[in-house]
Amino acid sequence: MIDEALFQQRLNDFKPEPLITSVDPTKEIEILMVAEDDDNIDLAKVNYLNVLNNNEIKKTSEDTIREYGVGTCGPRASYGTTDVHFELEKNLAELLHKEDCLVYCYGFVAISSSIAAFCKKSDVVFIDERANLPIEQGLDDARSKVVKFAHNDPEDFKAKVEKETKKTRKFLVVEGISWRTGKLCPLPEFIAVAEEFKIRVFLEESHTLGVFGATGRGLTEFYDIDPKRVDMIFGTLEGAIGSIGGFSAGSHDAIEHHRLFGSGYMYSASLPTYLVKVVLKSIELLGDAPQKFSGLAKTFHQFLEEECRFKVESHPEAPFKLIRIEPKMDETKVHQYCKEKGVHFIQNDEGLVINLNVRLLDEKERLERVYEVLKGASELIA
């Protein structure tokens, strides 16, 4: 027989360790490369519109977690979809002026699965020779014939198209801003060639959504192009929008097809609901931030070229600045000097990468300090 008194006493005495360590709700949500303070400025993290630590977004995330929990524990096609997912898809479609949209849990997969869902083994796909890794992965999955043209060169694209005489479906996949070089895609010229030869156009907008165009709609707004001339727009939500995940937008028929044939959509757990809310709130708060950011990007670019005499590969309005310095030893010298002075950014195989943050416009002293340090670094290799 159970001794009820003893049983109750042991229950009262049982004090298990918590399953998780409680987190200070005031702690910053982003993982910093360095602890930013008066002596350190982090230009390595991608936070173009400074939404990562927005208090409204933090509160929205907390409220959503209390209502929906953290994860959905399932893929979109079964039990991983909530009303908030549908709301975001509707809002993104309206923002991009497309008929429909779907949301992925991971930006890389959004790009690769969007390609593989439509491009098949018998198709020909034209891509830039400097295309990013997700695009290449999507084409590996699709097993299509891949034809590469010179970087951002519509004329070379046309020359390659004219050589492909076989009657089959053809696709063009281009990046709004090249992940590797920061150069801007001459989209109108590419579309003109594609329309001449009846080629479907896929546009990847990871680094243009939120920062290009007066309202942040991306390249179709920037170039004043009817979005209907682009068959599919996709990309990550991990740049200016400040969340995780990706999206793909197109016609109703295309998106319905995508829902059934996008492997990353069908077989991956869906984007947690609170992160979906982050995207919704970020879009709501865009306002005039894209225009402010454009001004910062152009001014910063001009400073790097005219005051520092750096060779800047990226477009003047690109959200990140890619600087190439030869020899590589001098590039390392500049990077190390800036790091020692408290201005932190990335050095990789492409060069030096500085990710801009619109917050610098409101923090004049920090912006002036960045300029001062970069100017000092340029004088080391003059």
Side-chain angles (χ1 to χ4, degrees):
M1 297 293 292
I2 298 176
D3 185 330
E4 290 293 339
L6 179 60
F7 179 69
Q8 192 60 46
Q9 179 185 339
R10 288 180 175 175
L11 279 179
N12 294 336
D13 292 342
F14 182 56
K15 305 294 182 186
E17 291 291 326
L19 292 176
I20 61 172
T21 304
S22 60
V23 177
D24 180 358
T26 63
K27 189 175 180 180
E28 299 215 342
I29 61 174
E30 65 199 69
I31 300 173
L32 300 173
M33 185 186 78
V34 294
E36 282 200 283
D37 51 33
D38 291 340
D39 299 319
N40 291 281
I41 301 170
D42 187 357
L43 298 178
K45 67 175 178 285
V46 176
N47 187 20
Y48 304 142
L49 300 184
N50 196 40
V51 300
L52 290 182
N53 288 308
N54 182 283
N55 288 329
E56 288 186 60
I57 291 177
K58 285 184 178 180
K59 184 65 169 61
T60 298
S61 298
E62 179 184 340
D63 292 344
T64 307
I65 289 172
R66 293 186 185 281
E67 181 178 356
Y68 291 88
V70 176
T72 59
C73 302
R76 289 291 308 274
S78 51
Y79 47 88
T81 295
T82 68
D83 58 322
V84 183
H85 289 85
F86 288 135
E87 182 184 357
L88 175 57
E89 289 171 343
K90 178 176 180 291
N91 283 19
L92 279 172
E94 291 175 354
L95 174 68
L96 297 169
H97 291 194
K98 304 299 282 185
E99 292 181 1
D100 207 348
C101 180
L102 56 79
V103 172
Y104 273 85
C105 63
Y106 182 35
F108 187 108
V109 173
I111 298 168
S112 60
S113 287
S114 294
I115 293 170
F118 293 92
C119 303
K120 303 306 175 187
K121 189 175 182 179
S122 59
D123 299 333
V124 177
V125 184
F126 298 91
I127 65 169
D128 195 292
E129 64 183 2
R130 302 303 305 277
N132 63 44
L133 184 57
I135 290 175
E136 293 179 344
Q137 182 62 58
L139 291 169
D140 284 345
D141 295 342
R143 297 183 295 170
S144 304
K145 179 181 179 180
V146 177
V147 178
K148 296 186 177 182
F149 52 83
H151 186 41
N152 273 356
D153 189 340
E155 292 185 4
D156 190 52
F157 165 52
K158 183 175 182 177
K160 295 293 195 300
V161 171
E162 289 173 339
K163 293 179 181 178
E164 294 296 325
T165 57
K166 182 179 178 181
K167 291 185 177 180
T168 185
R169 298 195 312 172
K170 296 181 176 69
F171 296 83
L172 166 66
V173 183
V174 290
E175 300 169 59
I177 284 283
S178 169
W179 289 25
R180 300 185 192 274
T181 68
K183 292 185 181 298
L184 183 68
C185 172
L187 187 60
E189 290 87 342
F190 275 112
I191 289 179
V193 176
E195 290 177 341
E196 179 183 351
F197 291 92
K198 305 295 189 293
I199 298 173
R200 295 191 180 277
V201 179
F202 287 1
L203 174 62
E204 192 278 319
E205 292 237 58
S206 294
H207 291 292
T208 46
L209 180 66
V211 290
F212 271 78
T215 63
R217 274 180 34 224
L219 280 205
T220 56
E221 182 179 33
F222 180 78
Y223 283 122
D224 192 23
I225 293 173
D226 184 349
K228 291 180 181 178
R229 297 176 69 190
V230 179
D231 295 279
M232 189 73 63
I233 298 175
F234 48 73
T236 76
L237 296 167
E238 296 153 13
I241 303 301
S243 185
I244 294 173
F247 68 94
S248 184
S251 68
H252 288 304
D253 289 344
I255 295 303
E256 284 304 306
H257 172 91
H258 197 162
R259 291 186 197 279
L260 295 174
F261 292 92
S263 58
Y265 181 88
M266 290 290 290
Y267 303 112
S268 297
S270 65
L271 186 64
T273 310
Y274 78 96
L275 290 173
V276 178
K277 275 287 191 181
V278 167
V279 181
L280 283 165
K281 196 65 179 177
S282 295
I283 293 173
E284 179 188 328
L285 296 174
L286 277 176
D288 63 350
Q291 297 177 55
K292 289 182 177 179
F293 187 89
S294 175
L296 170 65
K298 287 186 283 190
T299 301
F300 202 94
H301 189 99
Q302 184 178 11
F303 170 81
L304 292 174
E305 287 192 327
E306 296 181 4
E307 298 296 327
C308 299
R309 302 295 180 184
F310 287 143
K311 180 182 179 182
V312 186
E313 290 285 329
S314 50
H315 186 268
E317 294 184 61
F320 61 88
K321 300 303 172 187
L322 175 62
I323 302 169
R324 295 189 193 277
I325 299 174
E326 296 293 344
K328 200 72 174 178
M329 185 183 301
D330 284 350
E331 181 183 286
T332 302
K333 188 186 299 184
V334 167
H335 182 260
Q336 188 61 33
Y337 174 87
C338 293
K339 183 178 179 180
E340 290 172 357
K341 296 293 184 179
V343 176
H344 304 267
F345 46 83
I346 298 167
Q347 181 181 23
N348 60 25
D349 292 340
E350 298 292 340
L352 302 177
V353 180
I354 300 175
N355 288 308
L356 298 180
N357 187 325
V358 72
R359 182 179 65 178
L360 289 173
L361 289 175
D362 298 322
E363 299 178 349
K364 300 297 184 183
E365 290 184 7
R366 292 174 77 81
L367 180 58
E368 288 302 320
R369 181 149 171 260
V370 171
Y371 284 161
E372 180 184 340
V373 171
L374 287 170
K375 178 65 175 174
S378 70
E379 292 171 353
L380 296 176
I381 58 173

